[in-house]
């Protein structure tokens, strides 16, 4: 069964490019982006991994650790990592799980048999420090993911965890946000002293909280 939002992300121990790895120990109290790709030595995956390696400082700024996975063994990952560095101009700087026995892929529902019965699809799980799954995405093999969108969602998750706000469609850092409907106008006066705009009683926007 696939993981749903709010579920606890299962722990596992598996081989990786950084040796045997126990997921919870490795994650510590960070947020995690766990993402699978179909296969080593494939073009789209090569670009994705180079991109995530380049974006690692952006993930770190947000307290997020990144970790990749495919059902290829560790020696295959190691050889391919050299190609990633050569073609993407960026060394792999995060672990790639070598899930040759599909233990993690099965646990997280990363194999979709009607798409491909042996390879992992492009799954993404954003997991918070309480191990809760906060976002899932599934992309097809031929479509590389937009990792800027992942950073955007993480920004929204982290802010909406802290403040009684939600983010509108296409929101990005610095844009106005929405006051959640459960907050009364009386409460909003304390929470948002800078004021808000009431477009409708259920749609009130305010400046992004600091
Ligand atoms: C790729 O990463 O390029 C890829 C992987 C599996 C199927 C199609 C493309």
């Amino acid at each position: 069964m696939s993981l749903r939002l709010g579920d606890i992300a299962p722990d596992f121990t598996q081989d990786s490019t950084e040796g045997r790895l126990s997921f919870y120990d490795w994650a510590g109290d960070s947020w995690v982006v766990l993402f699978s790709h179909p296969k080593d030595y494939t073009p789209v995956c090569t670009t994705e991994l180079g991109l995530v390696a380049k974006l690692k400082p952006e993930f770190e700024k947000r307290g997020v650790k990144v970790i990749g996975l495919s059902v290829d063994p560790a020696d295959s990952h190691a050889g391919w990592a050299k190609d990633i560095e050569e073609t993407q101009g960026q060394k792999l700087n995060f672990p790639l799980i070598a899930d040759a026995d599909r233990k993690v892929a099965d646990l997280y529902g990363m194999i979709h048999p009607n798409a491909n019965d042996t390879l992992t699809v492009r799954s993404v799980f954003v997991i918070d420090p309480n191990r809760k799954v906060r976002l899932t995405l599934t992309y097809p093999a031929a479509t590389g993911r937009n990792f800027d969108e992942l950073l955007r969602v993480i920004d929204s998750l982290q802010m909406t965890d802290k403040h009684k706000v939600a983010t509108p469609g296409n929101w990005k850092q610095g844009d106005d946000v929405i006051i959640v409907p459960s907050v009364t106008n009386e409460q909003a006066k304390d929470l948002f002293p800078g004021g808000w705009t009431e477009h409708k009683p259920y749609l009130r926007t305010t400046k992004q909280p600091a």
Side-chain angles (χ1 to χ4, degrees), residues 38-39 42-46 119 122 141-142:
K39 203 167 170 43
T42 49
V44 177
C45 303
T46 301
L119 302 180
R122 294 188 198 283

Side-chain angles (χ1 to χ4, degrees), residues 1-10 126-128 130-134:
M1 204 178 90
S2 60
L3 284 172
R4 293 176 294 196
L5 300 191
D7 289 354
I8 296 297
V126 175
I127 299 163
D128 73 16
N130 296 317
R131 320 281 190 228
K132 269 197 185 161
V133 175
R134 302 295 301 276

Side-chain angles (χ1 to χ4, degrees), residues 41-56:
Y41 296 102
T42 49
V44 177
C45 303
T46 301
T47 61
E48 285 193 326
L49 293 181
L51 186 56
V52 174
K54 284 179 193 154
L55 286 173
K56 191 180 175 195

